[in-house]
Protein backbone atom coordinates (compact mmCIF):
# COMPACT_ATOMS: atom_id res chain seq x y z
CA UNK A 1 0.00 0.00 0.00
CA UNK A 2 1.20 3.49 -0.82
CA UNK A 3 0.07 6.41 1.30
CA UNK A 4 -0.02 9.83 -0.35
CA UNK A 5 1.02 12.51 2.13
CA UNK A 6 -0.27 15.95 1.24
CA UNK A 7 1.45 19.22 1.94
CA UNK A 8 -0.14 20.79 5.02
CA UNK A 9 0.86 24.30 3.93
CA UNK A 10 1.58 26.18 0.72
CA UNK A 11 5.20 26.98 0.03
CA UNK A 12 8.51 25.66 -1.26
CA UNK A 13 9.23 21.96 -0.61
CA UNK A 14 12.72 21.27 0.72
CA UNK A 15 14.61 18.31 2.11
CA UNK A 16 14.44 17.69 5.84
CA UNK A 17 18.17 18.37 6.25
CA UNK A 18 17.48 22.05 5.50
CA UNK A 19 15.48 22.45 8.71
CA UNK A 20 17.51 24.60 11.16
CA UNK A 21 17.08 22.13 14.03
CA UNK A 22 19.26 19.01 14.35
CA UNK A 23 16.40 16.94 15.77
CA UNK A 24 14.54 17.31 12.47
CA UNK A 25 17.51 17.80 10.12
CA UNK A 26 19.10 14.53 11.27
CA UNK A 27 15.75 12.73 11.10
CA UNK A 28 15.85 11.84 14.80
CA UNK A 29 12.05 12.12 14.90
CA UNK A 30 11.74 10.23 11.63
CA UNK A 31 12.23 10.70 7.91
CA UNK A 32 10.22 13.15 5.89
CA UNK A 33 10.33 16.43 4.06
CA UNK A 34 9.73 20.08 4.90
CA UNK A 35 7.96 23.05 3.41
CA UNK A 36 9.21 26.62 3.61
CA UNK A 37 5.74 28.20 3.93
CA UNK A 38 4.41 31.22 2.11
CA UNK A 39 4.58 34.22 4.44
CA UNK A 40 0.86 34.88 4.84
CA UNK A 41 -1.94 33.84 7.19
CA UNK A 42 -3.16 30.41 6.18
CA UNK A 43 -4.90 27.22 7.17
CA UNK A 44 -2.78 24.18 7.93
CA UNK A 45 -4.35 21.05 6.43
CA UNK A 46 -4.25 17.44 7.53
CA UNK A 47 -1.68 15.59 5.40
CA UNK A 48 -3.56 12.28 5.56
CA UNK A 49 -6.97 10.90 6.51
CA UNK A 50 -6.98 9.61 10.06
CA UNK A 51 -7.30 10.57 13.69
CA UNK A 52 -5.65 13.46 15.50
CA UNK A 53 -3.59 11.59 18.11
CA UNK A 54 -1.48 14.52 19.30
CA UNK A 55 -2.45 18.17 19.18
CA UNK A 56 -0.49 21.21 20.30
CA UNK A 57 -1.01 24.73 18.97
CA UNK A 58 2.24 24.47 16.97
CA UNK A 59 2.25 20.76 16.04
CA UNK A 60 0.00 17.76 15.50
CA UNK A 61 0.11 14.08 14.60
CA UNK A 62 -2.45 12.33 12.40
CA UNK A 63 -2.55 8.52 12.49
CA UNK A 64 -4.06 6.71 9.54
CA UNK A 65 -6.24 3.61 9.77
CA UNK A 66 -3.23 1.38 9.02
CA UNK A 67 -1.22 2.90 11.89
CA UNK A 68 1.03 5.12 9.80
CA UNK A 69 1.33 8.49 11.53
CA UNK A 70 2.49 11.85 10.21
CA UNK A 71 3.80 14.71 12.34
CA UNK A 72 3.34 18.31 11.17
CA UNK A 73 5.46 20.84 13.07
CA UNK A 74 4.76 24.54 12.44
CA UNK A 75 8.08 26.32 12.76
CA UNK A 76 11.11 25.68 14.93
CA UNK A 77 11.04 26.34 18.68
CA UNK A 78 7.51 27.69 18.26
CA UNK A 79 6.50 25.82 21.42
CA UNK A 80 7.99 28.89 23.17
CA UNK A 81 5.14 30.99 21.75
CA UNK A 82 2.78 29.05 24.05
CA UNK A 83 0.04 28.96 21.44
CA UNK A 84 0.22 32.65 20.49
CA UNK A 85 -0.67 33.04 16.83
CA UNK A 86 -2.05 29.50 16.39
CA UNK A 87 -5.76 28.58 16.31
CA UNK A 88 -6.72 24.91 16.42
CA UNK A 89 -9.92 23.89 14.63
CA UNK A 90 -10.01 20.26 15.78
CA UNK A 91 -9.52 18.39 19.02
CA UNK A 92 -7.37 15.42 19.97
CA UNK A 93 -9.27 12.27 18.99
CA UNK A 94 -11.14 13.89 16.10
CA UNK A 95 -11.33 12.03 12.78
CA UNK A 96 -10.04 14.19 9.93
CA UNK A 97 -9.92 13.89 6.17
CA UNK A 98 -6.78 14.62 4.16
CA UNK A 99 -6.96 18.30 3.27
CA UNK A 100 -9.17 19.25 6.25
CA UNK A 101 -8.25 22.43 8.14
CA UNK A 102 -6.52 21.62 11.44
CA UNK A 103 -4.82 24.86 12.53
CA UNK A 104 -4.67 28.47 11.33
CA UNK A 105 -1.43 30.45 11.67
CA UNK A 106 0.64 33.19 10.08
CA UNK A 107 4.22 32.23 9.17
CA UNK A 108 5.10 35.93 8.70
CA UNK A 109 4.21 36.59 12.36
CA UNK A 110 6.23 33.56 13.45
CA UNK A 111 9.23 34.84 11.50
CA UNK A 112 8.79 38.40 12.84
CA UNK A 113 8.85 36.94 16.37
CA UNK A 114 12.29 35.48 15.63
CA UNK A 115 11.41 31.87 14.81
CA UNK A 116 12.02 29.91 11.62
CA UNK A 117 8.55 29.14 10.18
CA UNK A 118 9.70 26.08 8.18
CA UNK A 119 7.35 23.09 8.54
CA UNK A 120 8.81 19.60 8.92
CA UNK A 121 6.40 16.87 7.79
CA UNK A 122 7.63 13.60 9.30
CA UNK A 123 6.55 10.00 8.70
CA UNK A 124 6.82 8.54 12.20
CA UNK A 125 8.52 5.15 12.56
CA UNK A 126 9.06 4.97 8.79
CA UNK A 127 11.96 3.48 6.89
CA UNK A 128 13.56 6.40 5.01
CA UNK A 129 13.74 4.31 1.84
CA UNK A 130 9.93 4.00 1.89
CA UNK A 131 9.45 7.72 1.21
CA UNK A 132 9.48 9.31 -2.25
CA UNK A 133 9.02 13.02 -2.93
CA UNK A 134 6.17 13.95 -5.25
CA UNK A 135 6.21 17.75 -4.88
CA UNK A 136 7.98 20.01 -7.40
CA UNK A 137 11.32 20.41 -5.58
CA UNK A 138 12.59 23.92 -5.87
CA UNK A 139 9.16 25.06 -7.04
CA UNK A 140 5.94 25.69 -5.17
CA UNK A 141 3.35 23.36 -3.68
CA UNK A 142 -0.15 24.35 -2.62
CA UNK A 143 -1.59 23.10 0.65
CA UNK A 144 -3.41 19.85 -0.07
CA UNK A 145 -1.23 18.84 -3.02
CA UNK A 146 0.88 15.67 -2.79
CA UNK A 147 4.18 16.21 -0.94
CA UNK A 148 5.50 12.62 -0.78
CA UNK A 149 4.43 9.01 -0.91
CA UNK A 150 5.03 6.46 1.81
CA UNK A 151 5.22 2.77 0.81
CA UNK A 152 3.76 0.79 3.70
Amino acid sequence: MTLSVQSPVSGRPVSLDQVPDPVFAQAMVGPGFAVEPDREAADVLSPITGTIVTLHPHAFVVAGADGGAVLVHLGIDTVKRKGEGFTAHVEKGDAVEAGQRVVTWNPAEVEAAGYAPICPVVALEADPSALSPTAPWGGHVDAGEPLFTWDR
Side-chain angles (χ1 to χ4, degrees):
M1 176 183 151
T2 298
L3 179 65
S4 177
V5 178
Q6 299 178 358
S7 182
V9 297
S10 295
R12 185 173 55 90
V14 297
S15 61
L16 204 56
D17 63 3
Q18 294 186 32
V19 175
D21 181 317
V23 172
F24 289 108
Q26 296 173 18
M28 291 182 211
V29 179
F33 298 91
V35 179
E36 190 64 56
D38 294 341
R39 301 304 196 260
E40 58 189 22
D43 292 331
V44 180
L45 308 181
S46 178
I48 62 172
T49 295
T51 302
I52 301 287
V53 295
T54 301
L55 179 65
H56 301 284
H58 66 283
F60 59 91
V61 175
V62 182
D66 69 350
V70 177
L71 164 70
V72 175
H73 202 279
L74 303 172
I76 302 305
D77 292 331
T78 47
V79 65
K80 295 175 184 173
R81 297 200 72 193
K82 299 180 179 177
E84 180 182 347
F86 300 91
T87 303
H89 301 284
V90 298
E91 295 185 11
K92 183 177 176 181
D94 282 357
V96 293
E97 296 292 324
Q100 181 178 333
R101 179 175 70 164
V102 176
V103 173
T104 300
W105 74 320
N106 188 331
E109 287 180 6
V110 168
E111 189 170 50
Y115 300 95
I118 194 167
C119 300
V121 182
V122 177
L124 299 176
E125 299 182 16
D127 180 332
S129 67
L131 306 184
S132 300
T134 54
W137 300 107
H140 186 271
V141 65
D142 288 331
E145 290 185 336
L147 181 63
F148 64 90
T149 59
W150 181 2
D151 290 331
R152 305 206 19 92

